[in-house]
Every structure is written in structure tokens, then in C-alpha cells.
Amino acid sequence: MRKILLIALALFFIFQSKSFAVLEFKQSKDISSDTDHLRGITFKPDGSRMYVTADEDDPVVLQYSLTTPFDISTATKIGSGTELAVSEGGNLDKPHAIEFKPDGKVMYVIRSESGTVGVEQYNLTTAWDTSTIDHDTRKIINGAGDCSARIQIRALAFKSDGTRMFVSQEDAEVVSQYDLTTAWDVSSATNNVCSNSFGAEESNMRNIQFSSDGTIMYLGGSTGDDINKYTLATAWDVTAISHVTTYSISSQTGKMRGFKFTANFTKLYVTGDDGSSTGDNVVYEYNMACSGTITCSDPSNNNDVKAIIEANVELSKRIIKHNTLSVFHRIEWLRRHKNKDNLTNLNAEVNFSNEVVSSLARAVGSYKKERKRDYDSDEWFQWTEGRVSVGKRKGANSSLRDVRSNGISIGADKIKKEDRDTMYGYVLQHGNDNIDIGVNGTKLVTESYSFAMYGTKLRENHFFTDGIIGVSLLDIDHKRITYGNTLKGNREGQQIFGSINLGKRLHDEEKNLNPGIKLDLGYTRLKAFREKTILGDSLADALLYKEQKVKSALATIGVLLDTTDKEEKKQEEKIINHHGRLEYIVDLSPSSNTEFYYLNSESTVYKFKADNKAEHNYRIGYGFDVTSISGWSVVTNFERFGTKGKGYSNEFYLSLGYVPINEKKFLFNFDNSNHASLAFTNNVNGFDLKINTDYNFFSNLPQYSANISITDSF
């Protein structure tokens, strides 16, 4: 008795796991006013049209327009229906499954009349318009050489390239496959092969459908009013097949007539009887908790999901790194040019498409027209720096990431009047990160906006201390593609960071050695967010990611070698200073724990620990800056940042500057689509000379332009 009870309990749990776990009923649509005895169903690939067959007084195919793709509540019948005539005269009796050639120019309907059981093929004068059908040919499939003498066939499917056809027979409980010597031409069907019996799962088969790669088959029927899922040992070959699970629809209908999944297997549609007096004329719509081609597996084992979580951790640290490096580049430039009359390496108006950032940028300082400023005056010196970075990252068991990043920094600083060895300032920064994950099209696109204050102090014996503290706002657009299902979401984040650098400047007349140690600290809070499918209300495969906290700590030891101006060079037309660095970085960051769950199954929470540490890192770089007596300045830095076993990034930093003279003006614009423009105006003998350039940093195709104009005011 105990054994019987245990077996019964085991069977109960197996049944529970097989049946309704990943299937969610959404809505139904009764079309009894349009037709009677509803049978087969299919859709135009974009979901804008639905097609059904019906065995009313005159067998017909009906087409419906869907104003919202795949939403049956928006379905409106087109015309009065088209009769399914056959070549020998009269109408097609007992139509069932309906399919189309991918281009919509050929339609196929199962004919289940005794004695002429087969597949009818129709040409369409206008693709996807069944009112333009014209009978072409048929394939009778109950003759000699077939699996058995068929009386009632119900189901129809094709291989994705049209070279194989499959039908199922209700009375024989088998699926038959035919090779088509001419693709999509049923009259060329040969070489009939039969599967084993499916009677154990379904004895009244109504339709079949395959995954796009042919490795999974679905078979539905009215015996249990369910859909059975099978795996094929060989793609598109039903001779070796194994049962996987069952999806029950018995709660909605007691008499299934046909079914159809969407191409990405995130929605299911069933035709059947609702049990009322209206008959078999109801279409049911279901959402899948996971794409139908998979089971709801542990997402923490999904390489793309793990890569997304790791990428968020890396992103948090990368934003801190770029924000602090831009400031340190400025501080290093200040030390090399400390005796200059003007420490402004850009004096130009800067605008952003974001009004808040643009307002802050305009507040950086006023734009002077004087050639020189008094070094001892209480004025702000403006500067800017742009950067571009590309690289790759990988985790231990997650998908590879391709990273592209760019940004711009706009800052202002001043020397403390009573202490010329102290300088302080602030900086506004905007960054854009694009992360391509794996090979399925998953990616993250991030916009970051940062504000930081900084200072540097030269102490006795040429020791110096640099410090930075700042905050960032993050906006992350998330896209994950799994089994053809596109999932999107948006995540916001806040960040606080700081850095302190201690070093000593060992120098002779021209060459300088700057050894130092640095500590970078950061805390990032990434808000919870949920994925949404492009199908709108469908929850298939969609995850909710809980709040994620990223703590980062990096200790750096390294040396900077640079040159400064000799006294005799200060009157030359052009002065070039070189600088190079070598650093070793130890990552002391703790791991970041993340929790997430399927939106259709909130009770099961999954966890993943993102190893935040990248213990062995290096940074090597070279650059130079050029200053000219005419007022131009250029500062460059090329740096390679690498992590042992986890990837690298190549980074290029560029500063362009000008000390304004007389009527010369500069205007720089940068918008959120990586689109930049530079305008230059100079008054020459009463004429305004204007030069405008325009460039898109990350366009797939080169996008740039330039124009010159000369005007005079009267």
C-alpha cells in the first residue's frame, strides 16, 4: 500500500511539472457569428493577419486583420470568407490544418474526406490574401506505399526550406514524413516514412508544429486536450523521437481542433469548443512563461544572463575609472605647465542636447577673449577632454563581451591665491557605453552623467597629493535575445566615487619621474528592473532583476615619466612634451550578489554571485601635448588597460584647446547620439570667417561634413 501511495504521489508531481507550469491563458475570441465548425489556424509571420478553416455548409478559409499583431481581441474578419474549391469540381470536404509558403503565395489545406484524403495546394495571386486563391494541385496520401490506409488526417507541417512535409493521422496515431523533390510542391512528395505510434500520449491528433531548427516537435489532440512536446534525435526526422512534457488546455476547451505557436514560441493559439451551445468556434490565446522550445531552466546557468550581471559590475568600475583618469590627466598637465601664464587648454563654448547637462556646462566659467591671463588672478581656467575606448571582457563561465565607450569631460579649476601650490576645481562628465554580449544580439547601452570635485597640493620635497570625489547617474538600456524572443528593459543607477593619489615628483631640468600610489573607491546602486517582450503583455522568458549593489576598491602603484619645458624653449613657436606610464593595479572589490526570477513564477528566486575581483591588472600608456605660441594646444593619451585572463581595453584620450585671441570664437556641440560638431569664427579685416564641421563617432558608415562661409555686416 505504501509503495502504491509513493508511486501515486510521484506521478502526481510529474504530472504537475509537465502540465500547466509554463502556460498562461490570456483571452479567447468567439467567432461563431462568422462561421461554424472551426478547425485549423495559422498567422501571417508579422501577426497582422489570422487565418482559420471551417467546415460549415460550404468549407471555407477565413482571414482576419489584427490591428495589434498577435492580439486576437483586435481581429476583424476580412470579406465573407473564401470557399475551398478543388480541381475536380465542388468543394473541399472537411478542411483541417492550414499552412502557407513563407512568401505567402501558396496555401496548403488538409483534406480529410474519405477516399480522397490528402493535401490541397492553392496559389494566391496576391500574397497573404486568401480571397485570391486558385486551386493548383493535390497530394493523395492514402494510397499504396503510405504508412496505412488513411481515413482521417488532421495535421500538416513543412520543413523550414520546404523539402519535407509531415502529416499526422488521427486513426493510425502516427506522423508521416515525405520528401519533396521540388520544394513547397506537394505533388512531388515521395519516400514516405512513418514514426512510431503516439497513442500513449494522444490518440486523436489534431495538429503538429516544429521548432525552426527541426529538433523539437509539438503534437496536439482532443483526447486529453493538451499539446505534447517531443525531441527528435535527428532534425526533421520523426523516426527517432522522445516525449518531453505536456501542456494542458483542458481548463478552457474540452474539444481541441487545431493549434499554432508564434515563430518564437512565446504565444500559443488554440481552436476548440468552449462547451456552450455556440459550438466549435472559439480561438484561445496563451502566453508561455518560457519560449516553448525550452523549459523554464535555471537562468543563473544562462551564459548571457550571467554576462549581463557581470557587465553591470564591470560598467560600474569602468565609469569610475574613466571619470577619475580624465581628472588625473588634467592634474598631470597642470604640473607640467605650472609656470605658464595661462592654464586653460580649451576655451570654447560647449553645448549638450540634454538641457540639464548643457546648463551645468555653461556654468563652468566665462569665455574670455584676452590672449593672456594673470596667473596670480582669481580666475577659473577651463579645460575639456574627450575619450574613446574599445575592448573585450570575459567571465569564467559567461558570454564574451565587446565593449565600446566614449565620453567627454568639461572642467574648470583655479589656483588658490594665497597658496600657489594648491589648485582645486570641478568637472562635468558624460559617457556612453555599448556592450555587445554573446552571439545572439544581447547588449547593454548606458548613458552616464557625472559631477566631481578635485584638488591637488604640492608639498615639501616635491611630494604631492591629488584627491577626487564625485557622483554619477546611470541609465542602462537592456536588450536580451533568447530563442528568438527579444526582451527589453531599462535600469537606473546612482554612484558615488572617490580617489586619492600620493606621489613624488623627481625632476631635473627637463625630465621628470613621478612614482606614486593611488586608491580608488566606489559604491554603485543599480535599481531593480524587469524585462518586457516585444509582444507587449507576454511574459515569456522575462526576468525581474532585483536591486544590485556594487562595491569597488582598487589599489594602484605605478610611475609616470614626463617632460617639462626648458626655459629657453618657452619662446619657440611650438613646444612638445612627452609622457608615459606603467601601473600595476590590485582589485580588492568584494563580490556582487544578484537575485532574479521569472515574472511568471515569482516564488522561485535564483541567485548569481558576480566575482567582482580582477586581481591582477595593468595600465600602460604614452602620450604627448603640444602648445603653440599662436594659442593652440593638443593633449593626447593612449592607454591599454588589461586584466589577467579577463580581457583588455584600448583607450584614447584627446584634448583640443585654444587661448582666444581678439575675435576668434569656438563652439562645440555633443548630443546623446554620439554626434558632434565644431564651429570656428574669426574676424578678418571686417569679414566674419566661419568654419563648421560635423561628425558621427559610431556610425556604421562614415558621417562627416564641413563648410566655410565669409560674411560682412553692413
Side-chain angles (χ1 to χ4, degrees):
M1 183 66 183
R2 180 181 293 181
K3 289 184 178 179
I4 294 175
L5 181 60
L6 291 173
I7 293 173
L9 287 172
L11 290 174
F12 172 79
F13 285 113
I14 291 173
F15 176 77
Q16 289 294 98
S17 66
K18 289 170 58 179
S19 58
F20 201 67
V22 297
L23 197 63
E24 175 195 30
F25 172 69
K26 181 190 175 186
Q27 62 184 337
S28 63
K29 186 176 182 66
D30 193 329
I31 57 174
S32 301
S33 60
D34 299 332
T35 189
D36 193 16
H37 300 296
L38 183 63
R39 295 292 185 262
I41 182 171
T42 193
F43 290 82
K44 187 178 179 181
D46 63 4
S48 63
R49 287 198 179 187
M50 177 178 73
Y51 306 87
V52 297
T53 59
D55 185 20
E56 53 184 17
D57 294 336
D58 293 316
V60 296
V61 57
L62 304 176
Q63 58 181 341
Y64 292 79
S65 173
L66 281 67
T67 54
T68 301
F70 296 108
D71 184 353
I72 61 174
S73 68
T74 67
T76 304
K77 188 175 72 168
I78 303 174
S80 58
T82 303
E83 294 185 2
L84 293 168
V86 293
S87 58
E88 69 271 18
N91 294 327
L92 185 154
D93 294 328
K94 299 182 179 178
H96 280 270
I98 178 173
E99 292 290 339
F100 285 85
K101 187 179 177 181
D103 61 5
K105 294 183 177 181
V106 183
M107 182 182 76
Y108 311 88
V109 178
I110 283 289
R111 179 177 187 176
S112 192
E113 181 188 10
S114 180
T116 55
V117 175
V119 182
E120 302 286 347
Q121 179 173 311
Y122 300 83
N123 293 327
L124 281 72
T125 305
T126 302
W128 304 108
D129 185 357
T130 57
S131 67
T132 66
I133 61 171
D134 180 45
H135 187 263
D136 179 32
T137 187
R138 80 157 47 128
K139 174 64 180 179
I140 304 296
I141 54 177
N142 65 341
D146 293 311
C147 295
S148 62
R150 288 174 172 78
I151 300 174
Q152 296 179 336
I153 64 171
R154 298 288 187 260
L156 173 66
F158 291 90
K159 187 179 178 181
S160 56
D161 63 0
T163 60
R164 184 164 287 181
M165 177 178 71
F166 304 85
V167 299
S168 69
Q169 183 177 344
E170 175 185 344
D171 46 319
E173 302 171 355
V174 296
V175 174
S176 304
Q177 64 185 39
Y178 297 82
D179 292 329
L180 305 185
T181 56
T182 302
W184 303 107
D185 184 358
V186 300
S187 67
S188 69
T190 61
N191 192 30
N192 175 222
V193 177
C194 296
S195 71
N196 295 326
S197 175
F198 294 94
E201 293 86 41
E202 184 56 64
S203 60
N204 192 358
M205 295 183 286
R206 292 291 175 175
N207 202 13
I208 52 176
Q209 187 173 343
F210 291 83
S211 62
S212 59
D213 62 0
T215 60
I216 296 174
M217 184 186 79
Y218 297 87
L219 186 149
S222 59
T223 297
D225 290 306
D226 52 31
I227 299 172
N228 293 279
K229 177 180 176 180
Y230 302 85
T231 57
L232 282 66
T234 303
W236 306 106
D237 186 350
V238 297
T239 59
I241 199 164
S242 302
H243 184 254
V244 178
T245 191
T246 300
Y247 305 130
S248 175
I249 58 168
S250 58
S251 298
Q252 285 74 49
T253 180
K255 191 181 292 183
M256 176 193 285
R257 294 304 185 188
F259 75 87
K260 189 71 175 182
F261 286 98
T262 54
N264 58 9
F265 289 85
T266 59
K267 283 182 173 289
L268 169 68
Y269 302 86
V270 175
T271 58
D273 185 358
D274 66 351
S276 68
S277 59
T278 57
D280 309 340
N281 308 309
V282 182
V283 180
Y284 302 91
E285 180 181 334
Y286 301 84
N287 291 326
M288 304 293 290
C290 302
S291 298
T293 53
I294 62 170
T295 58
C296 286
S297 57
D298 185 347
S300 64
N301 294 324
N302 183 289
N303 286 343
D304 280 5
V305 172
K306 291 189 291 185
I308 287 170
I309 297 170
E310 291 176 341
N312 278 316
V313 171
E314 296 159 3
L315 173 69
S316 301
K317 293 194 288 186
R318 184 165 55 252
I319 291 174
I320 294 174
K321 180 187 72 173
H322 285 153
N323 286 344
T324 56
L325 286 184
S326 292
V327 175
F328 283 126
H329 290 158
R330 169 62 177 177
I331 293 174
E332 291 164 2
W333 187 89
L334 292 174
R335 277 196 280 269
R336 287 194 294 273
H337 298 270
K338 186 174 181 298
N339 295 321
K340 294 283 185 187
D341 291 326
N342 192 335
L343 300 180
T344 300
N345 72 326
L346 180 68
N347 201 334
E349 185 176 353
V350 180
N351 292 325
F352 286 91
S353 60
N354 185 292
E355 184 57 35
V356 174
V357 179
S358 183
S359 299
L360 291 172
R362 288 193 295 269
V364 166
S366 60
Y367 303 96
K368 305 294 184 178
K369 296 181 181 181
E370 304 93 284
R371 173 66 188 276
K372 292 185 178 182
R373 299 176 183 167
D374 182 1
Y375 185 73
D376 293 319
S377 68
D378 191 29
E379 291 192 49
W380 290 91
F381 306 125
Q382 292 84 39
W383 63 275
T384 188
E385 181 173 82
R387 60 171 174 83
V388 176
S389 172
V390 296
K392 293 183 179 292
R393 298 287 297 182
K394 64 179 181 179
N397 297 294
S398 61
S399 301
L400 184 69
R401 282 92 69 187
D402 289 309
V403 182
R404 304 181 309 280
S405 178
N406 67 89
I408 187 170
S409 302
I410 305 170
D413 41 44
K414 66 187 298 184
I415 293 176
K416 196 173 181 179
K417 196 170 184 179
E418 61 274 17
D419 182 7
R420 292 186 53 176
D421 290 325
T422 301
M423 177 168 281
Y424 58 93
Y426 60 92
V427 60
L428 297 169
Q429 297 169 308
H430 170 266
N432 177 275
D433 287 71
N434 288 266
I435 307 171
D436 294 320
I437 297 173
V439 296
N440 298 318
T442 297
K443 72 182 304 176
L444 300 177
V445 179
T446 302
E447 297 283 339
S448 62
Y449 302 91
S450 307
F451 173 80
M453 296 181 292
Y454 61 91
T456 180
K457 170 71 174 179
L458 183 63
R459 304 183 182 277
E460 294 181 0
N461 299 320
H462 305 289
F463 284 97
F464 58 82
T465 303
D466 308 325
I468 307 170
I469 185 169
V471 294
S472 301
L473 297 178
L474 283 61
D475 185 82
I476 307 171
D477 286 327
H478 164 112
K479 182 175 76 171
R480 181 168 67 94
I481 299 178
T482 179
Y483 295 93
N485 189 20
T486 299
L487 304 150
K488 295 184 177 182
N490 181 265
R491 184 174 217 176
E492 296 179 345
Q494 300 89 36
Q495 183 181 81
I496 184 171
F497 60 90
S499 181
I500 186 168
N501 180 42
L502 305 175
K504 184 172 183 177
R505 190 165 178 81
L506 307 173
H507 62 93
D508 57 19
E509 188 175 351
E510 185 175 8
K511 297 181 178 64
N512 308 280
L513 190 66
N514 303 263
I517 56 174
K518 183 173 62 161
L519 179 65
D520 297 316
L521 299 174
Y523 175 81
T524 306
R525 174 177 172 265
L526 301 173
K527 294 183 179 180
F529 80 103
R530 63 179 60 200
E531 298 173 327
K532 296 181 180 179
T533 75
I534 60 175
L535 297 176
D537 66 318
S538 174
L539 301 180
D541 306 312
L543 296 171
L544 184 142
Y545 300 78
K546 293 186 177 183
E547 182 180 275
Q548 183 178 355
K549 299 175 182 178
V550 182
K551 301 175 183 178
S552 59
L554 291 90
T556 302
I557 182 170
V559 61
L560 170 70
L561 178 65
D562 60 8
T563 61
T564 54
D565 305 341
K566 288 184 178 180
E567 189 65 31
E568 60 267 24
K569 288 186 175 182
K570 291 184 179 181
Q571 301 303 316
E572 295 182 2
E573 289 291 325
K574 180 173 65 178
I575 301 173
I576 300 177
N577 289 312
H578 302 267
H579 42 91
R581 73 181 71 249
L582 178 64
E583 295 176 345
Y584 173 71
I585 305 159
V586 179
D587 197 334
L588 306 173
S589 308
S591 298
S592 177
N593 296 317
T594 306
E595 296 183 346
F596 43 94
Y597 55 80
Y598 287 109
L599 290 174
N600 271 348
S601 183
E602 298 183 12
S603 59
T604 304
V605 178
Y606 303 91
K607 299 180 180 180
F608 178 71
K609 179 184 287 186
D611 187 5
N612 197 6
K613 290 185 180 181
E615 294 183 352
H616 303 288
N617 307 270
Y618 68 88
R619 177 181 169 216
I620 185 170
Y622 166 77
F624 62 88
D625 53 71
V626 181
T627 57
S628 69
I629 197 169
S630 61
W632 285 100
S633 68
V634 178
V635 185
T636 66
N637 284 278
F638 175 80
E639 298 175 359
R640 183 178 178 93
F641 187 93
T643 301
K644 184 179 179 180
K646 293 188 177 182
Y648 68 91
S649 63
N650 293 321
E651 302 170 358
F652 180 72
Y653 299 81
L654 175 65
S655 296
L656 296 176
Y658 189 78
V659 181
I661 303 176
N662 298 329
E663 300 298 321
K664 296 183 180 180
K665 300 178 182 178
F666 289 83
L667 175 64
F668 180 76
N669 287 284
F670 186 84
D671 63 28
N672 293 331
S673 61
N674 303 314
H675 193 269
S677 63
L678 177 66
F680 166 76
T681 303
N682 188 25
N683 186 275
V684 181
N685 296 326
F687 292 89
D688 288 329
L689 173 65
K690 297 182 178 180
I691 302 175
N692 294 279
T693 64
D694 190 275
Y695 191 76
N696 192 325
F697 289 106
F698 287 100
S699 172
N700 292 327
L701 297 173
Q703 295 184 12
Y704 52 85
S705 61
N707 62 81
I708 300 175
S709 65
I710 300 176
T711 59
D712 189 17
S713 300
F714 296 93

